[in-house]
């Protein structure tokens, strides 16, 4: 995604250079490829080398004098590709923070901050929710806010539309280190019969030096409330974790598009391995090395095929 962002930035901020690159793509020596295509080619080619070396290794006699050298080359190229992929993910995550910084309005804070100043900080979860005030077991006031949970940081902001524009800014109300934040479940309260949405509330307590600030948050669904609490309070130990060889398989029966960094998108018919069973369970794609969280409603489990 970084090469795409760079390409867009060049065309939007440097018109002359953008026009030059556009004209260059029509040159016969360009072979019909754009600047963006050439930009990504070295990265794509690097990922093909382990596949090539793996094919050579599988078709090389173990007794051949080059067999050990090919195996070493395969291991080194695989490690290099993994390092490059890791670095690319880090850069994409950092770019995400830079883009968020451009939206922040910190005028309500005593000490403004920059999210991207900490390289390695990652966005764990972002979602809209309601900040509510409860009196006498009744919601008397609410407003829409956005919650941001980073690897080391928590932020609560209100989206504010910029006049005469389709864009918005984020008016930041709270921004604190994650160690100062406690999230806990609260019982749902009776709500107006006209309001058919479940309450799905939880509390966020920020441990300020002067006085703690307690906020009641209404999540968009019961599943979102559970996941927010799990993100805030990750388990120290995974219970009921299956050994890699013993993972039950499941087939996806409904499409699901990821909405945050702790999810993966799945499509009907895909097979997954269940690594951890609970209210949510971790999955591992059979075809891709990726771990995330999904609800049981999106899969149909298969009985174990091993003995």
């Amino acid at each position: 995604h970084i090469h795409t962002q760079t390409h867009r930035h060049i065309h939007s901020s440097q018109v002359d250079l953008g026009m030059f690159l556009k004209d260059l793509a029509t040159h016969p020596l360009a072979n019909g490829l754009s600047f963006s295509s050439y930009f990504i080619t070295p990265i794509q080619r690097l990922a093909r080398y382990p596949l090539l070396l793996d094919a050579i290794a599988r078709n090389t006699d173990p007794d051949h004098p080059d067999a050990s050298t090919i195996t070493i080359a395969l291991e080194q190229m695989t490690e290099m590709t993994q390092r490059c992929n890791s670095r690319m993910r880090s850069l994409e995550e950092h770019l995400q923070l830079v883009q968020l910084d451009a939206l922040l309005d910190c005028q309500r804070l005593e000490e403004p901050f920059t999210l991207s100043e900490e390289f390695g900080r990652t966005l764990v979860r972002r979602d809209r929710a309601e900040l509510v005030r409860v009196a006498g077991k009744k919601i008397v006031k609410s407003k829409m806010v956005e919650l941001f949970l980073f690897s080391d940081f928590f932020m609560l902001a209100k989206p504010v539309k910029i006049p005469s524009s389709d864009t918005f800014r984020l008016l930041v109300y709270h921004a604190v280190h994650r160690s100062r934040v406690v999230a806990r479940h609260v019982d749902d309260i009776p709500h107006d019969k006209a309001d058919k949405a479940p309450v799905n509330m939880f509390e966020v307590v920020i441990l300020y030096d002067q006085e703690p600030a307690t906020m009641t948050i209404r999540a968009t669904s019961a599943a979102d409330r559970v996941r927010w609490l799990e993100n805030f309070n990750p388990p120290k130990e995974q219970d009921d974790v299956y050994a890699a060889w013993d993972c039950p398989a499941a087939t996806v029966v409904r499409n699901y598009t990821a909405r945050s960094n702790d999810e993966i998108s799945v499509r009907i018919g895909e097979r997954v391995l269940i690594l951890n069973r609970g209210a949510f369970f971790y999955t591992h794609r059979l075809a891709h090395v990726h771990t995330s969280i999904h609800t049981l409603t999106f899969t149909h489990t298969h009985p174990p095929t091993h003995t």
Side-chain angles (χ1 to χ4, degrees), residues 125 127-132 134 145 147-149 154 156 181-189 199-205 214-233:
R125 184 169 179 79
D127 206 355
R128 292 200 172 192
E130 284 184 86
L131 178 63
V132 302
V134 179
V145 295
L147 306 180
F148 298 81
L149 185 63
F154 170 72
L156 184 146
V181 181
V182 177
R184 59 197 182 198
H185 178 276
V186 295
D187 293 331
D188 286 342
I189 62 172
V199 178
N200 305 319
M201 295 193 302
F202 64 96
E203 279 187 346
V204 174
V205 182
T214 301
M215 296 167 289
T216 303
I217 305 295
R218 180 181 182 177
T220 55
S221 68
D224 280 337
R225 172 171 65 176
V226 172
R227 284 162 53 193
W228 270 115
L229 291 172
E230 287 185 343
N231 290 143
F232 273 111
N233 308 295

Side-chain angles (χ1 to χ4, degrees), residues 58-70:
R58 284 187 284 103
N59 289 277
T60 300
D61 192 296
D63 297 328
H64 193 281
D66 293 334
S68 60
T69 304
I70 294 171

Side-chain angles (χ1 to χ4, degrees), residues 103-130:
L103 301 176
L104 299 186
D105 182 345
C106 300
Q107 60 177 302
R108 296 178 64 94
L109 303 181
E110 293 183 5
E111 298 182 7
F113 67 97
T114 304
L115 289 169
S116 57
E117 65 185 358
E118 290 290 336
F119 197 86
R121 173 178 288 156
T122 58
L123 178 61
V124 176
R125 184 169 179 79
R126 172 186 181 177
D127 206 355
R128 292 200 172 192
E130 284 184 86

